[in-house]
Amino acid sequence: MNAARTWLRCPRPLRWPALRLVCFPHAGGNAAFYRPWAAHLPDDVELHAVQYPGRMDRTGEPFAADLPSLADGVVSALRALPGDTPVVLFGHSLGASVAYEAARRLDGPGGGLRALVVSGRPAPDRLRDTRVHLADDDTLWAETGRLGGTGRETLEHDGVKAVALPVLRADYRIAETWRPAPPVPLRAPVLACVGADDSEVTAEEAGAWADRTRGRFALHTFPGGHFYLLVHRHRLVETILRATHRSPVPTWSAAGP
């Protein structure tokens, strides 16, 4: 299996896409989380959802050693795709950090990066010092319920818990031990999205992503908590497309020199 097929899931391949929207899952998440997004995209935008190792059809593979190695794998996969189609990277929570590392590798001439969209995550220099990955199983599992991304029926299913806990712990470990490299601002624009009631990131922490780009920056706040994107999926996709695909200039505010 080549790198693209290993790392990327594309529910609706296009022959000549004008844009590729590449989506990075949250801790404990997988590529299937983004499959419904395909129905909200125009006919010339191709969706690629990242599948991290150690889950779903990659269950037999070891978990990633660290966050930069995840980014390296995704970037290799994107470079294996045909053509020179521009890409927009979107990541939620843990996925925002992985997407940022991937953006750093794709930024600049020939990289194809049109924009980075981060969601539900403080800027790298505003990350909170947490140690959830060191907690006992019950505490770690309760964290999943607290954030609201998993239904009660799933949380109460022992079989699901047994399978999901190792994935969740591995993802929290790489998120909480990530030490970003000294910032070199991206050339590409950055859009930060946050839920108004998100306990994991404030608007101020999300707004600090402005320091990570020399291009345009915008902050968009949605109603809801950490998983606001479950309820406001269509509105979020529209916001991303307006900012990066259909009419990018009017929707961005200036940031930086």
Side-chain angles (χ1 to χ4, degrees):
M1 183 180 289
N2 63 29
R5 283 201 234 168
T6 299
W7 286 91
L8 303 174
R9 304 292 174 268
C10 182
R12 191 189 65 183
L14 303 177
R15 185 173 183 182
W16 304 112
L19 181 74
R20 289 182 171 123
L21 175 60
V22 183
C23 297
F24 295 72
H26 53 280
N30 56 67
F33 181 83
Y34 290 110
R35 189 175 185 86
W37 284 38
H40 300 286
L41 296 176
D43 292 340
D44 59 350
V45 177
E46 186 175 73
L47 175 68
H48 289 267
V50 174
Q51 189 77 294
Y52 302 145
R55 69 212 67 205
M56 303 297 284
D57 54 343
R58 300 187 69 183
T59 298
E61 300 178 40
F63 297 119
D66 51 40
L67 196 146
S69 68
L70 274 183
D72 288 339
V74 178
V75 169
S76 294
L78 291 174
R79 287 174 173 160
L81 293 174
D84 56 357
T85 304
V87 297
V88 170
L89 305 183
F90 171 87
H92 179 67
S93 200
L94 162 67
S97 295
V98 186
Y100 169 66
E101 284 284 1
R104 292 178 61 241
R105 290 154 173 76
L106 294 171
D107 194 41
L113 180 65
R114 176 169 290 181
L116 169 66
V117 185
V118 291
S119 168
R121 189 74 165 160
D125 58 334
R126 301 296 298 275
L127 290 172
R128 303 177 185 182
D129 185 14
T130 59
R131 297 287 187 274
V132 178
H133 73 284
L134 299 176
D136 60 77
D137 285 353
D138 289 341
T139 301
L140 181 60
W141 193 238
E143 183 74 0
T144 301
R146 182 183 69 83
L147 295 177
T150 306
R152 175 173 294 182
E153 184 176 329
T154 299
L155 289 169
E156 294 176 350
H157 195 294
D158 290 340
V160 172
K161 179 179 178 180
V163 171
L165 266 176
V167 176
L168 197 63
R169 190 177 299 280
D171 285 355
Y172 267 88
R173 178 184 60 79
I174 63 172
E176 293 177 329
T177 59
W178 177 49
R179 297 295 178 265
V184 176
L186 300 173
R187 299 183 185 186
V190 174
L191 170 65
C193 300
V194 63
D197 302 316
D198 191 345
S199 61
E200 304 305 291
V201 54
T202 65
E204 181 184 5
E205 290 169 332
W209 281 100
D211 295 334
R212 296 288 163 150
T213 178
R214 287 184 287 167
R216 298 180 302 274
F217 174 80
L219 173 65
H220 197 99
T221 302
F222 293 83
H226 191 60
F227 279 95
Y228 73 90
L229 66 173
L230 291 174
V231 177
H232 300 290
R233 178 192 305 140
H234 181 67
R235 183 174 163 189
L236 173 60
V237 172
E238 283 188 335
T239 300
I240 295 170
L241 292 176
R242 282 199 309 269
T244 64
H245 181 48
R246 295 302 182 190
S247 56
V249 176
T251 59
W252 295 88
S253 59

